[in-house]
């Protein structure tokens, strides 16, 4: 798909309708342009005969008309609108979908639960770093809960269950009372509905667990606002929030820091379902994921599988976005890798250090587009905060340290410079930057570097110092910089 193309995903959920517009960026990434959300609560509009009330349909139609105005001019192949559990259940769904499609300007699909689960997983996986781990993804929506196991971007097992924050709040907290009796009944019923998941998703089937969408975000926001780590949900934290609800006693009095207004009527049902899932599957930690159904829809529209080398694609995308001299960056990366291998002298090279050096060397000049002065600090900020790169936190930290430390004084890295896993690749990177200062391939013939303990010795062949006087001067300045650290760089320039 051509760069700068706009794609749009419309998610007709049981609690909220959402519109997300993304732009196809460099290397086929999707960058968010706009996100609209309206709390429609269509799931509350289903009666005992599973028919949507006229009021519920009207609320949905009015929202879709507003979305339709925003989507005017979009190509039909660039928009996908999907409806989930409420319209799967509604006997008069055809009436709503027919009028809603007219107002939106694009056809609305009522997708099966399994397709919803697949799209959720694709959306979540698109926001995560590449990994061979088997991922369990839990998505508690308004009227359905999806449970998926997958690896990389592919699902391996998926299921959709008819329970969620809206339906459970309506069924077990209809009187607004937040008491133990209502919670116990809600959790017990959720476990019964999810019973088959206990056997279908044993702990041996997955390595790590994630929670996505509304309930997960609401729980995470409430925990963060109260000084806890909202990025990871545990049974203890869920019980902590449940105790707060019990102490408040009624939905009308519900005021919890971080809990948004539109979540208050359905939070008790959502927490009940999440407690049931966590207890039933024996989940120790649920990491709150950023991706969701709508991101999965956008990636399907793009019809683009993640590149075989996602890391390389992310590097190239950042280089392109920030105008990096790619040829020079690749030269620095080659020289730095060669020097580091020589410094290691046959010792096993830590994979994390190798990966960090590989990335940092190619991005060491990423801050130059901000300003030439102190560009290494700008580059460190970019690598630390760039959300489009899906590096693991520890890897991101090491990349940032290398970019920050590749030039200038070394004291800015403080105690971290004492670690060989940082100091040695950093020395290799700094030497490579100096040797490549002409922005041409340096003459490495006869140049050697050896390490003994915390001392590295670099020697050159006869005549090298005379042939490359500026390089020699830069190396002498580099040796002086290292003399002020626990490490030393000795030179034998000839």
């Amino acid at each position: 798909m051509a760069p700068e193309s706009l794609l749009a995903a419309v998610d007709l959920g049981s609690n909220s309708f959402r519109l997300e517009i993304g732009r196809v960026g460099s290397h086929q990434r999707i960058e968010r342009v706009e996100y609209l959300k309206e709390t429609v609560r269509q799931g509350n509009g289903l009666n005992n005969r599973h028919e949507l009330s006229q009021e519920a349909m009207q609320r949905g139609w009015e929202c879709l008309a507003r979305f339709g105005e925003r989507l005017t001019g979009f190509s039909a192949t660039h928009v996908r609108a999907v409806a989930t559990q409420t319209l799967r259940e509604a006997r008069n769904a055809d009436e709503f979908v027919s009028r809603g499609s007219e107002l939106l300007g694009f056809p609305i699909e009522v997708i099966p639960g399994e397709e919803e689960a697949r799209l959720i997983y694709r959306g979540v996986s698109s926001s995560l770093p590449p990994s061979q781990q088997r991922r369990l993804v839990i998505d508690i929506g308004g009227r359905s809960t999806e449970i998926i196991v997958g690896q990389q971007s592919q699902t391996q097992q998926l299921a959709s269950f008819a329970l969620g924050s809206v339906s459970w709040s309506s069924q077990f907290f209809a009187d607004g009372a937040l008491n133990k009796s209502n919670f116990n009944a809600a959790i017990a019923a959720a476990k019964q509905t999810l019973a088959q998941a206990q056997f279908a998703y044993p702990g041996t089937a997955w390595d790590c667990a994630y929670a996505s969408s509304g309930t997960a975000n609401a729980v995470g926001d409430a925990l963060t606002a109260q000084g806890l780590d909202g990025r990871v949900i545990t049974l203890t934290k869920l019980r902590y929030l449940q105790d707060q609800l019990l102490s408040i006693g009624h939905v009308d009095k519900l005021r919890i820091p971080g809990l948004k207004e539109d979540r208050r009527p359905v939070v008790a049902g959502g927490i009940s379902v999440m407690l049931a899932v966590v207890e039933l599957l024996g989940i120790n930690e649920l990491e709150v994921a950023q991706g969701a159904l709508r991101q999965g829809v956008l990636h399907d529209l793009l019809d683009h599988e993640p590149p075989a080398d996602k890391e390389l694609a992310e590097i190239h995308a950042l280089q392109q976005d920030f105008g990096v001299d790619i040829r020079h960056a690749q030269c620095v990366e080659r020289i730095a890798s060669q020097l580091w291998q020589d410094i290691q002298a046959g010792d096993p090279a830590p994979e994390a250090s190798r990966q960090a050096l590989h990335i940092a060397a190619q991005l060491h000049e990423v801050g130059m587009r901000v300003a030439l002065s102190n560009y290494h600090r700008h580059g460190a900020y970019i690598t630390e905060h760039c959300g489009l790169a899906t590096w693991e936190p520890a890897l991101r930290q090491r990349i940032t340290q290398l970019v920050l430390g590749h030039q200038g004084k070394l004291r800015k890295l403080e105690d971290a410079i004492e670690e060989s896993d940082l100091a040695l690749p950093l020395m290799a990177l700094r030497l490579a930057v100096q040797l490549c200062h002409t922005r041409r391939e340096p003459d490495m013939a006869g140049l050697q570097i050896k390490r003994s303990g915390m001392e590295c010795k670099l020697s050159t062949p006869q005549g090298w110092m005379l042939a490359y006087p500026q390089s020699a001067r830069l190396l002498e300045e580099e040796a002086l910089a290292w003399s002020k650290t626990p490490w030393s760089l000795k030179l034998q320039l000839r």
Side-chain angles (χ1 to χ4, degrees):
M1 188 173 289
E4 303 304 313
S5 297
L6 292 180
L7 305 176
V10 182
D11 171 9
L12 282 64
S14 300
N15 193 51
S16 302
F17 284 8
R18 295 175 169 88
L19 165 63
E20 178 144 341
I21 299 174
R23 177 184 290 112
V24 180
S26 55
H27 292 270
Q28 300 289 282
R29 293 178 303 172
I30 299 177
E31 303 162 357
R32 177 186 280 188
V33 171
E34 191 168 353
Y35 171 56
L36 302 177
K37 172 188 171 184
E38 294 194 22
T39 304
V40 178
R41 293 207 209 292
Q42 196 163 60
N44 282 339
L46 279 175
N47 61 25
N48 293 334
R49 298 187 300 276
H50 288 276
E51 294 173 335
L52 277 173
S53 67
Q54 283 299 314
E55 292 80 7
M57 289 198 289
Q58 188 61 38
R59 290 196 302 272
W61 287 333
E62 290 172 359
C63 173
L64 290 172
R66 289 186 283 271
F67 286 1
E69 179 184 352
R70 178 62 185 86
L71 293 174
T72 300
F74 272 68
S75 165
T77 59
H78 288 190
V79 179
R80 186 181 183 190
V82 297
T84 54
Q85 185 64 27
T86 293
L87 288 171
R88 286 198 288 266
E89 293 183 35
R91 296 177 62 184
N92 56 345
D94 289 347
E95 178 185 354
F96 177 82
V97 167
S98 176
R99 178 62 179 149
S101 297
E102 291 178 8
L103 293 168
L104 183 66
F106 300 92
I108 296 170
E109 303 173 56
V110 181
I111 58 175
E114 291 74 15
E115 172 67 357
E116 181 179 0
R118 184 189 71 80
L119 290 170
I120 287 168
Y121 183 83
R122 185 163 191 188
V124 170
S125 65
S126 72
S127 71
L128 297 174
S131 171
Q132 291 301 320
Q133 288 183 310
R134 297 165 300 170
R135 293 161 169 162
L136 174 71
V137 174
I138 309 295
D139 187 295
I140 299 171
R143 295 188 70 89
S144 69
T145 293
E146 281 67 44
I147 303 179
I148 314 106
V149 169
Q151 196 170 26
Q152 298 282 25
S153 62
Q154 301 299 316
T155 58
Q156 296 175 337
Q157 188 173 350
L158 46 80
S160 180
F161 300 88
L163 78 166
S165 61
V166 173
S167 56
W168 247 233
S169 294
S170 299
Q171 187 172 344
F172 296 98
F173 301 93
D175 58 358
L178 302 173
N179 53 47
K180 286 187 178 181
S181 176
N182 286 351
F183 265 107
N184 289 341
I187 293 169
K191 286 183 176 179
Q192 184 175 357
T193 303
L194 295 165
Q196 69 184 70
Q198 185 175 16
F199 305 102
Y201 299 89
T204 54
W206 44 274
D207 302 311
C208 52
Y210 296 88
S212 66
S213 295
T215 295
N217 290 326
V219 168
D221 290 345
L223 292 170
T224 299
Q226 297 178 67
L228 299 173
D229 183 2
R231 296 170 299 178
V232 177
I233 299 171
T234 64
L235 180 60
T236 300
K237 292 177 183 177
L238 287 171
R239 291 295 187 194
Y240 168 75
L241 292 179
Q242 182 190 16
D243 288 343
Q244 286 188 308
L245 298 184
L246 290 171
S247 66
I248 292 170
H250 199 279
V251 170
D252 293 342
K253 301 177 182 178
L254 193 55
R255 298 293 185 276
I256 293 179
L259 186 64
K260 297 177 182 177
E261 182 70 34
D262 66 318
R263 278 284 149 189
R264 290 172 186 167
V266 299
V267 68
I271 287 178
S272 299
V273 175
M274 187 168 280
L275 279 166
V277 172
V278 169
E279 290 180 348
L280 200 66
L281 300 186
I283 299 172
N284 294 322
E285 291 185 346
L286 269 175
E287 184 176 340
V288 179
Q290 298 305 308
L293 172 64
R294 58 191 182 276
Q295 283 81 22
V297 171
L298 290 175
H299 279 82
D300 258 20
L301 284 170
L302 186 58
D303 194 25
H304 172 71
E305 285 297 314
D309 191 337
K310 188 176 181 182
E311 177 186 291
L312 184 60
E314 290 179 339
I315 293 170
H316 286 171
L318 282 169
Q319 289 175 328
Q320 189 172 76
D321 288 348
F322 289 94
V324 171
D325 182 342
I326 295 177
R327 183 176 178 182
H328 174 63
Q330 290 174 340
C331 179
V332 170
E333 193 277 330
R334 285 195 303 273
I335 301 303
S337 296
Q338 178 183 331
L339 290 170
W340 188 55
Q341 287 177 3
D342 292 342
I343 291 171
Q344 288 295 118
D347 291 342
E351 174 58 24
S353 296
R354 183 210 64 77
Q355 188 179 14
L357 178 60
H358 168 70
I359 297 172
Q362 296 193 72
L363 297 177
H364 73 282
E365 290 186 342
V366 75
M368 281 189 174
R369 175 158 284 186
V370 179
L372 185 59
S373 176
N374 288 321
Y375 76 86
H376 57 295
R377 295 187 181 276
H378 303 311
Y381 182 89
I382 291 168
T383 55
E384 182 180 2
H385 297 286
C386 180
L388 296 176
T390 56
W391 303 314
E392 294 282 2
L395 175 61
R396 182 184 292 271
Q397 180 186 31
R398 186 50 50 86
I399 293 167
T400 298
Q401 289 172 326
L402 290 172
V403 172
L404 177 64
H406 87 270
Q407 77 156 12
K409 297 177 180 178
L410 289 163
R411 63 169 178 252
K412 56 183 172 283
L413 293 175
E414 299 179 340
D415 295 339
I417 197 72
E418 296 182 13
E419 300 178 24
S420 61
D421 287 352
L422 171 63
L424 297 180
L426 179 59
M427 184 180 289
L429 176 58
R430 287 174 65 98
L431 288 171
V433 170
Q434 307 295 19
L435 291 168
C436 296
H437 71 95
T438 63
R439 308 188 86 80
R440 298 190 302 271
E441 193 80 25
D443 180 5
M444 300 293 290
L447 191 147
Q448 294 182 337
I449 186 168
K450 296 180 180 180
R451 173 193 168 203
S452 177
M454 298 186 74
E455 179 182 287
C456 293
K457 184 176 181 180
L458 186 146
S459 61
T460 64
Q462 194 68 39
W464 187 93
M465 188 174 181
L466 184 61
Y468 307 108
Q470 178 63 12
S471 296
R473 182 176 180 178
L474 292 173
L475 291 180
E476 288 169 352
E477 292 175 354
E478 188 63 23
L480 179 61
W482 283 100
S483 70
K484 299 173 183 179
T485 74
W487 300 84
S488 66
L489 174 65
K490 301 298 183 182
L491 302 178
Q492 187 176 1
L493 306 181
R494 293 179 294 215

